[in-house]
Amino acid sequence: MVYILLGAGFEEAEALVAADVLRRAEIPVSLAGIGGEYVTGSHGITVKADLPVGKASLAEGDMVLLPGGMGGVASIEGSGEAMALVRGAAENPGCWLAAICAAPTLLARAGLLPRGGRCVCYPGMEGELSQAGAVPAMDRAAVREGRLITGKGPGTAFDFALALVEALAGAEKAAQVRAGLHYGV
């Protein structure tokens, strides 16, 4: 299961493109809401969560995905339940963690980035990654470092989502989904 955390002010493109692409790859996805069943993103789009974040339960192979959007990142950071889920994914060697745009900076502040590991975030925020000991790879749309996948921002949402599919279901499945989307052709 991929749990996509939705807090008020989340970046809609990053959350919903990921959910769509993952579901096209037949990977189970749940939108986990912080603070209510309906969550409004940074551009005024309201999304109905599949479950409250407190009901998410990690199992082997699961992923926790943090979309960006400054408000959404603040919502995740301000929620004890959400941060417990994020830490649980980071500390479980059988789980995955993914963050895009401003969300990798939350991981930096929480001490959850791999020291010396490559990652990417929204341009201009990479100083927080460096301060946490990570190596910003700002020339990339998405970066996989072990069981952590990071993405640059809303314009790279498809690259990020396809990197998630490749990590969870393999390169062949990612290529099939890419072809079905007519992405990059």
Side-chain angles (χ1 to χ4, degrees), residues 13-105:
E14 296 162 357
L16 299 178
V17 166
D20 178 280
V21 171
L22 289 162
R23 287 180 177 168
R24 287 172 192 260
E26 300 175 351
I27 296 170
V29 173
S30 283
L31 302 174
I34 298 168
E37 183 178 13
Y38 292 91
V39 184
T40 302
S42 61
H43 299 95
I45 300 170
T46 300
V47 175
K48 182 181 182 295
D50 298 315
L51 74 160
V53 71
K55 297 284 184 185
S57 176
L58 291 174
E60 189 79 14
D62 285 351
M63 175 183 279
V64 175
L65 190 160
L66 289 66
M70 295 301 287
V73 170
S75 294
I76 294 168
E77 216 162 11
S79 166
E81 291 175 323
M83 288 304 296
L85 191 65
V86 171
R87 283 191 175 83
E91 294 167 0
N92 183 331
C95 289
W96 292 84
L97 190 55
I100 184 170
C101 196
T105 64

Side-chain angles (χ1 to χ4, degrees), residues 86-172:
V86 171
R87 283 191 175 83
E91 294 167 0
N92 183 331
C95 289
W96 292 84
L97 190 55
I100 184 170
C101 196
T105 64
L106 176 155
L107 300 179
R109 289 188 295 277
L112 299 176
L113 291 179
R115 295 197 64 75
R118 294 177 314 129
C119 38
V120 66
C121 65
Y122 192 80
M125 302 179 114
E126 60 271 20
E128 286 193 61
L129 306 185
S130 296
Q131 288 173 2
V135 178
M138 299 306 290
D139 60 330
R140 307 278 307 276
V143 175
R144 177 177 169 187
E145 183 74 34
R147 289 188 164 282
L148 171 67
I149 301 169
T150 54
K152 190 178 274 188
T156 65
F158 278 96
D159 297 296
F160 177 69
L162 289 165
L164 303 177
V165 171
E166 184 172 338
L168 296 172
E172 184 176 326

